[in-house]
Structure formats: C-alpha cells, structure tokens
Amino acid sequence: MARNAEKAMTALARFRQAQLEEGKVKERRPFLASECTELPKAEKWRRQIIGEISKKVAQIQNALPPPRKTRAELMKAIDFEYYGYLDEDDGVIVPLEQEYEKKQAVKSDEEGSQEKGGDDGQQKFIAHVPVPSQQEIEEALVRRKKMELLQKYASETLQAQSEEAKRLLGY
C-alpha cells in the first residue's frame, strides 16, 4: 500500500491542490446543516436544495402514464399461469367445461337424430370421391411389396419375362 506522501505526489492530487489554491473547485455542500457557520453559504446551500427538490417534484408530477416496458420486462411476467396450466386447479373451469360438454352432447344428439336415414338407424354417409374398400387397400399393399422385392432380388431379364407373362395373361 502506498504511503500518504506518495499519494500526495500523484498527478491527480497535485492537480486538485492547484485548483483549490486558485479557487476553481466547487465547495461541497455540508452533510449536516449545523456544519455551516456562514450565513451567505447557508443561503446558497438552501437555494440549491430547494432547486433540487422542485426539479424532482416537477419530474414526479409531469411523469408520463408509466414508462413503456421493454420486451424483456414483459417476458419476465409470463409464466405458467399465462398459458393456462393451472386453470384446472382453481376448481372453477372444470364444472363449466362439463356443463358445456353436456350441452354440446345434447345438441349433437338432436342433430344426429335428424340426419339419420332409414329404419336401421344408420347415419347417411355420402362420399364425393371413390373410397377403396379394405380388401382393395390390402391388395394394393401386397402388389407394392411384391414389386419392391422383385426389384431388390430379381434380375432384369426375369423382371422382363414376368412383365411379358402378365401382359399375355391380361393382368
């Protein structure tokens, strides 16, 4: 640690001492009012304090509706409640949902009874595109699997012979 004599010799300390000698340095306001013994200085500090207080009061009174929050500040407030993860825990929404589901079930039953056609109680279904049966789907899958196996294991001449046989038989 440097000694006091060495501290006094630093450039900053010498500069500050020179300014004090010239009187250019502002005096610091005393922390306690009882430390001020001269009336002109006391009035000077009083005016300074009153000016600072009036500036702060004006800032408070003229403040805008609160300052706008940044995106990061807004994101800090978002937690699991925002996304509704605890909605079932409060015991309010579950009964409301059950009541709504019952109403929807009654409504869909009424609509379903109107749409049912025929005496057997089956609902009418109209397909606007041709829908393959389960058997047709299975046959298509078997054909595709056969083709994959043929391409993987059969030679080109065997495949050509197979295609010609199919053509002759009408497959």
Side-chain angles (χ1 to χ4, degrees):
M1 185 183 306
R3 296 183 192 130
N4 288 338
E6 292 172 352
K7 287 180 184 177
M9 293 306 296
T10 63
L12 180 62
R14 288 181 294 177
F15 175 74
R16 184 113 170 105
Q17 186 63 34
Q19 280 190 334
L20 283 174
E21 289 172 1
E22 293 177 13
K24 291 184 179 178
V25 176
K26 292 184 179 179
E27 291 183 74
R28 295 188 70 137
R29 184 170 64 206
F31 182 73
L32 298 173
S34 60
E35 293 177 1
C36 188
T37 55
E38 301 172 21
L39 182 62
K41 286 187 178 181
E43 288 176 350
K44 173 185 168 186
W45 301 131
R46 181 178 176 272
R47 281 192 304 274
Q48 186 180 12
I49 292 171
I50 290 173
E52 289 177 9
I53 291 173
S54 63
K55 284 180 186 176
K56 297 290 183 181
V57 168
Q59 284 179 347
I60 291 171
Q61 290 177 345
N62 296 332
L64 298 174
R68 291 186 61 113
K69 291 184 178 181
T70 63
R71 184 175 299 271
E73 290 171 341
L74 291 173
M75 295 305 285
K76 284 181 185 176
I78 294 178
D79 57 359
F80 50 89
E81 288 182 19
Y82 176 82
Y83 292 108
Y85 290 135
L86 295 179
D87 286 346
E88 288 85 19
D89 293 347
D90 63 2
V92 174
I93 198 158
V94 173
L96 294 174
E97 286 178 348
Q98 290 173 346
E99 182 181 331
Y100 181 76
E101 289 173 359
K102 287 178 185 176
K103 288 180 183 178
Q104 291 299 320
V106 170
K107 189 175 180 180
S108 64
D109 287 343
E110 291 173 359
E111 291 176 0
S113 64
Q114 293 173 358
E115 291 179 3
K116 288 186 179 179
D119 295 337
D120 58 354
Q122 292 286 331
Q123 185 176 1
K124 274 188 176 178
F125 179 74
I126 301 172
H128 298 285
V129 293
V131 179
S133 67
Q134 185 69 27
Q135 185 179 3
E136 292 171 337
I137 293 173
E138 288 174 3
E139 290 173 0
L141 288 172
V142 168
R143 274 195 311 268
R144 183 169 41 160
K145 188 66 174 176
K146 281 183 182 179
M147 290 303 295
E148 288 174 2
L149 289 172
L150 275 173
Q151 289 176 353
K152 187 174 183 179
Y153 294 112
S155 64
E156 293 181 18
T157 57
L158 185 59
Q159 287 181 14
Q161 289 174 354
S162 173
E163 290 295 323
E164 187 174 336
K166 285 182 185 178
R167 185 179 52 80
L168 291 174
L169 292 173
Y171 286 125

